[in-house]
mmCIF file of all heavy atoms in Angstrom:
data_model
loop_
_atom_site.group_PDB
_atom_site.id
_atom_site.type_symbol
_atom_site.label_atom_id
_atom_site.label_comp_id
_atom_site.label_asym_id
_atom_site.label_seq_id
_atom_site.Cartn_x
_atom_site.Cartn_y
_atom_site.Cartn_z
ATOM 1 N N HIS J 150 -9.971 6.561 -19.958
ATOM 2 C CA HIS J 150 -8.731 6.726 -19.207
ATOM 3 C C HIS J 150 -7.600 6.935 -20.194
ATOM 4 O O HIS J 150 -7.124 5.965 -20.820
ATOM 5 C CB HIS J 150 -8.471 5.520 -18.319
ATOM 6 C CG HIS J 150 -7.337 5.747 -17.373
ATOM 7 N ND1 HIS J 150 -7.481 6.320 -16.134
ATOM 8 C CD2 HIS J 150 -6.001 5.515 -17.529
ATOM 9 C CE1 HIS J 150 -6.303 6.414 -15.534
ATOM 10 N NE2 HIS J 150 -5.392 5.933 -16.365
ATOM 11 N N GLY J 152 -4.357 7.587 -19.837
ATOM 12 C CA GLY J 152 -3.030 7.030 -19.539
ATOM 13 C C GLY J 152 -3.013 5.530 -19.432
ATOM 14 O O GLY J 152 -2.584 4.960 -18.419
ATOM 15 N N ARG J 154 -1.143 3.294 -21.025
ATOM 16 C CA ARG J 154 0.174 2.644 -21.224
ATOM 17 C C ARG J 154 -0.007 1.305 -21.952
ATOM 18 O O ARG J 154 0.812 0.407 -21.852
ATOM 19 C CB ARG J 154 0.924 2.399 -19.921
ATOM 20 C CG ARG J 154 0.746 3.482 -18.877
ATOM 21 C CD ARG J 154 1.330 4.811 -19.256
ATOM 22 N NE ARG J 154 0.858 5.825 -18.328
ATOM 23 C CZ ARG J 154 0.911 7.140 -18.543
ATOM 24 N NH1 ARG J 154 1.416 7.585 -19.672
ATOM 25 N NH2 ARG J 154 0.468 7.967 -17.655
ATOM 26 N N LEU J 196 -5.192 5.081 -4.577
ATOM 27 C CA LEU J 196 -5.549 6.423 -4.996
ATOM 28 C C LEU J 196 -4.248 7.170 -5.323
ATOM 29 O O LEU J 196 -3.430 7.395 -4.443
ATOM 30 C CB LEU J 196 -6.311 7.166 -3.885
ATOM 31 C CG LEU J 196 -6.956 8.486 -4.285
ATOM 32 C CD1 LEU J 196 -8.131 8.261 -5.221
ATOM 33 C CD2 LEU J 196 -7.405 9.266 -3.055
ATOM 34 N N GLY J 197 -4.075 7.539 -6.601
ATOM 35 C CA GLY J 197 -2.820 8.136 -6.991
ATOM 36 C C GLY J 197 -2.919 9.041 -8.198
ATOM 37 O O GLY J 197 -3.998 9.252 -8.759
ATOM 38 N N ASN J 198 -1.754 9.533 -8.609
ATOM 39 C CA ASN J 198 -1.658 10.406 -9.786
ATOM 40 C C ASN J 198 -0.804 9.751 -10.862
ATOM 41 O O ASN J 198 -0.828 8.517 -10.970
ATOM 42 C CB ASN J 198 -1.114 11.783 -9.374
ATOM 43 C CG ASN J 198 0.107 11.653 -8.454
ATOM 44 O OD1 ASN J 198 1.012 10.882 -8.727
ATOM 45 N ND2 ASN J 198 0.125 12.408 -7.389
ATOM 46 N N SER J 199 -0.055 10.512 -11.645
ATOM 47 C CA SER J 199 0.657 9.953 -12.798
ATOM 48 C C SER J 199 1.734 8.964 -12.380
ATOM 49 O O SER J 199 2.087 8.063 -13.162
ATOM 50 C CB SER J 199 1.279 11.065 -13.628
ATOM 51 O OG SER J 199 2.138 11.871 -12.858
ATOM 52 N N ILE J 200 2.300 9.100 -11.179
ATOM 53 C CA ILE J 200 3.347 8.170 -10.756
ATOM 54 C C ILE J 200 2.748 6.785 -10.515
ATOM 55 O O ILE J 200 3.391 5.766 -10.723
ATOM 56 C CB ILE J 200 4.070 8.705 -9.513
ATOM 57 C CG1 ILE J 200 4.766 10.031 -9.848
ATOM 58 C CG2 ILE J 200 5.083 7.713 -8.973
ATOM 59 C CD1 ILE J 200 5.417 10.717 -8.668
ATOM 60 N N THR J 201 1.495 6.730 -10.096
ATOM 61 C CA THR J 201 0.772 5.463 -9.972
ATOM 62 C C THR J 201 0.215 5.024 -11.319
ATOM 63 O O THR J 201 0.249 3.841 -11.678
ATOM 64 C CB THR J 201 -0.354 5.585 -8.935
ATOM 65 O OG1 THR J 201 0.222 5.830 -7.651
ATOM 66 C CG2 THR J 201 -1.188 4.322 -8.843
ATOM 67 N N ASP J 202 -0.268 5.991 -12.087
ATOM 68 C CA ASP J 202 -0.821 5.713 -13.424
ATOM 69 C C ASP J 202 0.248 5.129 -14.337
ATOM 70 O O ASP J 202 -0.048 4.433 -15.288
ATOM 71 C CB ASP J 202 -1.371 7.013 -13.999
ATOM 72 C CG ASP J 202 -2.372 6.792 -15.114
ATOM 73 O OD1 ASP J 202 -2.962 5.700 -15.179
ATOM 74 O OD2 ASP J 202 -2.592 7.723 -15.905
ATOM 75 N N GLY J 203 1.512 5.440 -14.068
ATOM 76 C CA GLY J 203 2.608 4.788 -14.785
ATOM 77 C C GLY J 203 3.318 5.628 -15.813
ATOM 78 O O GLY J 203 3.970 5.073 -16.701
ATOM 79 N N ARG J 204 3.248 6.955 -15.732
ATOM 80 C CA ARG J 204 4.023 7.759 -16.677
ATOM 81 C C ARG J 204 5.517 7.437 -16.515
ATOM 82 O O ARG J 204 6.066 7.522 -15.410
ATOM 83 C CB ARG J 204 3.797 9.259 -16.450
ATOM 84 C CG ARG J 204 4.603 10.122 -17.392
ATOM 85 C CD ARG J 204 4.140 11.568 -17.389
ATOM 86 N NE ARG J 204 5.049 12.425 -18.144
ATOM 87 C CZ ARG J 204 5.108 12.479 -19.474
ATOM 88 N NH1 ARG J 204 4.290 11.734 -20.213
ATOM 89 N NH2 ARG J 204 5.952 13.295 -20.100
ATOM 90 N N GLY J 205 6.143 7.026 -17.602
ATOM 91 C CA GLY J 205 7.542 6.612 -17.570
ATOM 92 C C GLY J 205 7.696 5.110 -17.627
ATOM 93 O O GLY J 205 8.807 4.609 -17.900
ATOM 94 N N SER J 206 6.620 4.362 -17.389
ATOM 95 C CA SER J 206 6.669 2.902 -17.563
ATOM 96 C C SER J 206 6.653 2.592 -19.075
ATOM 97 O O SER J 206 6.489 3.483 -19.885
ATOM 98 C CB SER J 206 5.519 2.226 -16.859
ATOM 99 O OG SER J 206 4.272 2.636 -17.419
ATOM 100 N N ARG J 213 4.255 -0.783 -14.297
ATOM 101 C CA ARG J 213 4.034 0.242 -13.306
ATOM 102 C C ARG J 213 4.386 -0.333 -11.926
ATOM 103 O O ARG J 213 4.441 -1.548 -11.756
ATOM 104 C CB ARG J 213 2.580 0.700 -13.290
ATOM 105 C CG ARG J 213 1.992 0.985 -14.688
ATOM 106 C CD ARG J 213 0.474 1.047 -14.600
ATOM 107 N NE ARG J 213 -0.210 1.089 -15.883
ATOM 108 C CZ ARG J 213 -0.507 0.041 -16.649
ATOM 109 N NH1 ARG J 213 -0.152 -1.191 -16.244
ATOM 110 N NH2 ARG J 213 -1.150 0.189 -17.772
ATOM 111 N N TRP J 214 4.546 0.539 -10.922
ATOM 112 C CA TRP J 214 4.880 -0.013 -9.586
ATOM 113 C C TRP J 214 3.753 -0.893 -9.050
ATOM 114 O O TRP J 214 4.016 -1.874 -8.341
ATOM 115 C CB TRP J 214 5.271 1.083 -8.607
ATOM 116 C CG TRP J 214 4.184 1.997 -8.116
ATOM 117 C CD1 TRP J 214 3.904 3.267 -8.556
ATOM 118 C CD2 TRP J 214 3.249 1.743 -7.056
ATOM 119 N NE1 TRP J 214 2.861 3.805 -7.857
ATOM 120 C CE2 TRP J 214 2.443 2.912 -6.931
ATOM 121 C CE3 TRP J 214 3.023 0.660 -6.198
ATOM 122 C CZ2 TRP J 214 1.409 3.003 -5.981
ATOM 123 C CZ3 TRP J 214 1.999 0.758 -5.252
ATOM 124 C CH2 TRP J 214 1.223 1.919 -5.152
ATOM 125 N N ASN J 235 -5.448 -0.219 -9.798
ATOM 126 C CA ASN J 235 -4.697 1.024 -10.017
ATOM 127 C C ASN J 235 -5.647 2.148 -10.330
ATOM 128 O O ASN J 235 -6.154 2.269 -11.446
ATOM 129 C CB ASN J 235 -3.687 0.816 -11.137
ATOM 130 C CG ASN J 235 -2.754 2.000 -11.312
ATOM 131 O OD1 ASN J 235 -3.104 3.148 -11.026
ATOM 132 N ND2 ASN J 235 -1.570 1.735 -11.801
ATOM 133 N N MET J 236 -5.877 3.022 -9.362
ATOM 134 C CA MET J 236 -6.789 4.167 -9.522
ATOM 135 C C MET J 236 -6.003 5.469 -9.649
ATOM 136 O O MET J 236 -6.413 6.517 -9.124
ATOM 137 C CB MET J 236 -7.769 4.224 -8.346
ATOM 138 C CG MET J 236 -8.709 3.032 -8.263
ATOM 139 S SD MET J 236 -9.886 3.002 -9.629
ATOM 140 C CE MET J 236 -9.537 1.375 -10.316
ATOM 141 N N GLY J 237 -4.884 5.408 -10.356
ATOM 142 C CA GLY J 237 -4.106 6.600 -10.609
ATOM 143 C C GLY J 237 -4.612 7.349 -11.816
ATOM 144 O O GLY J 237 -5.018 6.746 -12.811
ATOM 145 N N ILE J 238 -4.620 8.680 -11.764
ATOM 146 C CA ILE J 238 -4.948 9.529 -12.900
ATOM 147 C C ILE J 238 -3.811 10.533 -13.093
ATOM 148 O O ILE J 238 -3.456 11.271 -12.151
ATOM 149 C CB ILE J 238 -6.277 10.297 -12.678
ATOM 150 C CG1 ILE J 238 -7.457 9.356 -12.647
ATOM 151 C CG2 ILE J 238 -6.483 11.346 -13.772
ATOM 152 C CD1 ILE J 238 -8.800 10.049 -12.451
ATOM 153 N N GLY J 239 -3.238 10.568 -14.265
ATOM 154 C CA GLY J 239 -2.171 11.507 -14.561
ATOM 155 C C GLY J 239 -2.630 12.942 -14.392
ATOM 156 O O GLY J 239 -3.694 13.323 -14.885
ATOM 157 N N GLY J 240 -1.832 13.744 -13.675
ATOM 158 C CA GLY J 240 -2.155 15.150 -13.477
ATOM 159 C C GLY J 240 -3.222 15.406 -12.407
ATOM 160 O O GLY J 240 -3.694 16.518 -12.267
ATOM 161 N N ASN J 241 -3.577 14.363 -11.662
ATOM 162 C CA ASN J 241 -4.645 14.471 -10.687
ATOM 163 C C ASN J 241 -4.184 15.165 -9.408
ATOM 164 O O ASN J 241 -3.033 15.034 -9.001
ATOM 165 C CB ASN J 241 -5.197 13.078 -10.353
ATOM 166 C CG ASN J 241 -6.539 13.122 -9.673
ATOM 167 O OD1 ASN J 241 -6.696 12.599 -8.565
ATOM 168 N ND2 ASN J 241 -7.524 13.720 -10.306
ATOM 169 N N CYS J 242 -5.101 15.897 -8.793
ATOM 170 C CA CYS J 242 -4.859 16.557 -7.499
ATOM 171 C C CYS J 242 -5.849 16.030 -6.461
ATOM 172 O O CYS J 242 -6.945 15.591 -6.805
ATOM 173 C CB CYS J 242 -5.021 18.063 -7.619
ATOM 174 S SG CYS J 242 -3.723 18.885 -8.603
ATOM 175 N N LEU J 248 -6.092 17.225 -13.561
ATOM 176 C CA LEU J 248 -6.888 16.492 -14.550
ATOM 177 C C LEU J 248 -7.800 15.484 -13.870
ATOM 178 O O LEU J 248 -7.395 14.862 -12.879
ATOM 179 C CB LEU J 248 -5.968 15.798 -15.547
ATOM 180 C CG LEU J 248 -5.038 16.687 -16.368
ATOM 181 C CD1 LEU J 248 -4.133 15.828 -17.262
ATOM 182 C CD2 LEU J 248 -5.850 17.659 -17.226
ATOM 183 N N ARG J 255 -13.389 11.961 -6.010
ATOM 184 C CA ARG J 255 -13.536 10.664 -6.685
ATOM 185 C C ARG J 255 -13.291 9.454 -5.796
ATOM 186 O O ARG J 255 -13.617 8.331 -6.180
ATOM 187 C CB ARG J 255 -12.635 10.593 -7.895
ATOM 188 C CG ARG J 255 -11.122 10.504 -7.607
ATOM 189 C CD ARG J 255 -10.315 10.600 -8.901
ATOM 190 N NE ARG J 255 -8.860 10.580 -8.700
ATOM 191 C CZ ARG J 255 -8.116 9.486 -8.704
ATOM 192 N NH1 ARG J 255 -8.677 8.289 -8.892
ATOM 193 N NH2 ARG J 255 -6.814 9.562 -8.524
ATOM 194 N N PHE J 272 -1.625 7.699 -2.125
ATOM 195 C CA PHE J 272 -0.342 8.179 -2.672
ATOM 196 C C PHE J 272 -0.611 9.291 -3.693
ATOM 197 O O PHE J 272 -0.440 9.137 -4.881
ATOM 198 C CB PHE J 272 0.419 7.006 -3.324
ATOM 199 C CG PHE J 272 1.763 7.372 -3.907
ATOM 200 C CD1 PHE J 272 2.640 8.168 -3.181
ATOM 201 C CD2 PHE J 272 2.122 6.910 -5.142
ATOM 202 C CE1 PHE J 272 3.875 8.492 -3.720
ATOM 203 C CE2 PHE J 272 3.351 7.242 -5.696
ATOM 204 C CZ PHE J 272 4.225 8.018 -4.979
ATOM 205 N N GLU J 273 -1.118 10.397 -3.183
ATOM 206 C CA GLU J 273 -1.364 11.556 -4.029
ATOM 207 C C GLU J 273 -0.668 12.780 -3.433
ATOM 208 O O GLU J 273 0.096 12.658 -2.490
ATOM 209 C CB GLU J 273 -2.870 11.825 -4.150
ATOM 210 C CG GLU J 273 -3.540 10.930 -5.203
ATOM 211 C CD GLU J 273 -4.546 11.663 -6.067
ATOM 212 O OE1 GLU J 273 -4.107 12.324 -7.045
ATOM 213 O OE2 GLU J 273 -5.739 11.578 -5.785
ATOM 214 N N ALA J 274 -0.961 13.935 -4.023
ATOM 215 C CA ALA J 274 -0.598 15.246 -3.475
ATOM 216 C C ALA J 274 0.643 15.899 -4.081
ATOM 217 O O ALA J 274 0.870 17.070 -3.830
ATOM 218 C CB ALA J 274 -0.474 15.238 -1.952
ATOM 219 N N VAL J 275 1.436 15.205 -4.872
ATOM 220 C CA VAL J 275 2.603 15.897 -5.437
ATOM 221 C C VAL J 275 2.178 17.030 -6.356
ATOM 222 O O VAL J 275 2.817 18.087 -6.416
ATOM 223 C CB VAL J 275 3.565 14.912 -6.148
ATOM 224 C CG1 VAL J 275 2.955 14.405 -7.463
ATOM 225 C CG2 VAL J 275 4.904 15.562 -6.427
ATOM 226 N N ASN J 276 1.066 16.852 -7.076
ATOM 227 C CA ASN J 276 0.580 17.916 -7.942
ATOM 228 C C ASN J 276 -0.012 19.075 -7.126
ATOM 229 O O ASN J 276 0.095 20.236 -7.513
ATOM 230 C CB ASN J 276 -0.445 17.383 -8.936
ATOM 231 C CG ASN J 276 0.146 16.385 -9.900
ATOM 232 O OD1 ASN J 276 1.250 16.585 -10.381
ATOM 233 N ND2 ASN J 276 -0.571 15.312 -10.203
ATOM 234 N N TYR J 322 8.315 21.909 -10.169
ATOM 235 C CA TYR J 322 7.494 21.883 -8.957
ATOM 236 C C TYR J 322 8.295 22.280 -7.710
ATOM 237 O O TYR J 322 7.720 22.674 -6.712
ATOM 238 C CB TYR J 322 6.949 20.476 -8.726
ATOM 239 C CG TYR J 322 5.650 20.144 -9.416
ATOM 240 C CD1 TYR J 322 5.003 21.046 -10.246
ATOM 241 C CD2 TYR J 322 5.061 18.886 -9.243
ATOM 242 C CE1 TYR J 322 3.800 20.745 -10.854
ATOM 243 C CE2 TYR J 322 3.854 18.565 -9.852
ATOM 244 C CZ TYR J 322 3.233 19.485 -10.674
ATOM 245 O OH TYR J 322 2.054 19.174 -11.282
ATOM 246 N N ASP J 372 12.972 14.657 -16.060
ATOM 247 C CA ASP J 372 12.049 15.640 -15.470
ATOM 248 C C ASP J 372 12.118 15.672 -13.933
ATOM 249 O O ASP J 372 11.470 16.500 -13.309
ATOM 250 C CB ASP J 372 10.621 15.412 -15.966
ATOM 251 C CG ASP J 372 9.898 14.223 -15.304
ATOM 252 O OD1 ASP J 372 10.566 13.441 -14.555
ATOM 253 O OD2 ASP J 372 8.692 14.069 -15.533
ATOM 254 N N LEU J 374 10.763 14.048 -11.691
ATOM 255 C CA LEU J 374 9.479 13.846 -11.037
ATOM 256 C C LEU J 374 8.959 12.422 -11.252
ATOM 257 O O LEU J 374 8.608 11.739 -10.306
ATOM 258 C CB LEU J 374 8.444 14.837 -11.552
ATOM 259 C CG LEU J 374 6.997 14.698 -11.030
ATOM 260 C CD1 LEU J 374 6.949 14.961 -9.523
ATOM 261 C CD2 LEU J 374 6.071 15.662 -11.759
ATOM 262 N N HIS J 375 8.953 12.008 -12.532
ATOM 263 C CA HIS J 375 8.468 10.672 -12.885
ATOM 264 C C HIS J 375 9.631 9.696 -12.967
ATOM 265 O O HIS J 375 10.800 10.090 -13.113
ATOM 266 C CB HIS J 375 7.728 10.720 -14.218
ATOM 267 C CG HIS J 375 6.518 11.600 -14.192
ATOM 268 N ND1 HIS J 375 6.550 12.897 -14.640
ATOM 269 C CD2 HIS J 375 5.277 11.367 -13.730
ATOM 270 C CE1 HIS J 375 5.346 13.431 -14.480
ATOM 271 N NE2 HIS J 375 4.554 12.530 -13.920
ATOM 272 N N PHE J 376 9.278 8.417 -12.893
ATOM 273 C CA PHE J 376 10.286 7.358 -12.832
ATOM 274 C C PHE J 376 10.305 6.541 -14.097
ATOM 275 O O PHE J 376 9.300 6.415 -14.803
ATOM 276 C CB PHE J 376 10.027 6.463 -11.614
ATOM 277 C CG PHE J 376 10.093 7.197 -10.304
ATOM 278 C CD1 PHE J 376 9.004 7.874 -9.794
ATOM 279 C CD2 PHE J 376 11.279 7.244 -9.590
ATOM 280 C CE1 PHE J 376 9.082 8.564 -8.607
ATOM 281 C CE2 PHE J 376 11.375 7.928 -8.389
ATOM 282 C CZ PHE J 376 10.253 8.607 -7.900
ATOM 283 N N TYR J 381 10.212 2.334 -11.004
ATOM 284 C CA TYR J 381 8.934 1.717 -10.610
ATOM 285 C C TYR J 381 9.171 0.321 -10.036
ATOM 286 O O TYR J 381 8.470 -0.099 -9.106
ATOM 287 C CB TYR J 381 7.979 1.664 -11.803
ATOM 288 C CG TYR J 381 7.415 3.019 -12.144
ATOM 289 C CD1 TYR J 381 7.453 3.501 -13.462
ATOM 290 C CD2 TYR J 381 6.868 3.855 -11.181
ATOM 291 C CE1 TYR J 381 6.948 4.751 -13.796
ATOM 292 C CE2 TYR J 381 6.356 5.087 -11.483
ATOM 293 C CZ TYR J 381 6.399 5.542 -12.801
ATOM 294 O OH TYR J 381 5.909 6.788 -13.109
#
Side-chain angles (χ1 to χ4, degrees):
H150 188 88
R154 324 294 168 197
L196 190 71
N198 47 45
S199 58
I200 298 175
T201 296
D202 201 22
R204 178 166 172 77
S206 63
R213 313 164 190 83
W214 71 260
N235 187 331
M236 295 291 123
I238 293 181
N241 196 238
C242 291
L248 299 177
R255 70 186 178 92
F272 181 46
E273 279 223 81
V275 71
N276 294 320
Y322 273 1
D372 76 352
L374 175 64
H375 299 97
F376 298 86
Y381 286 130

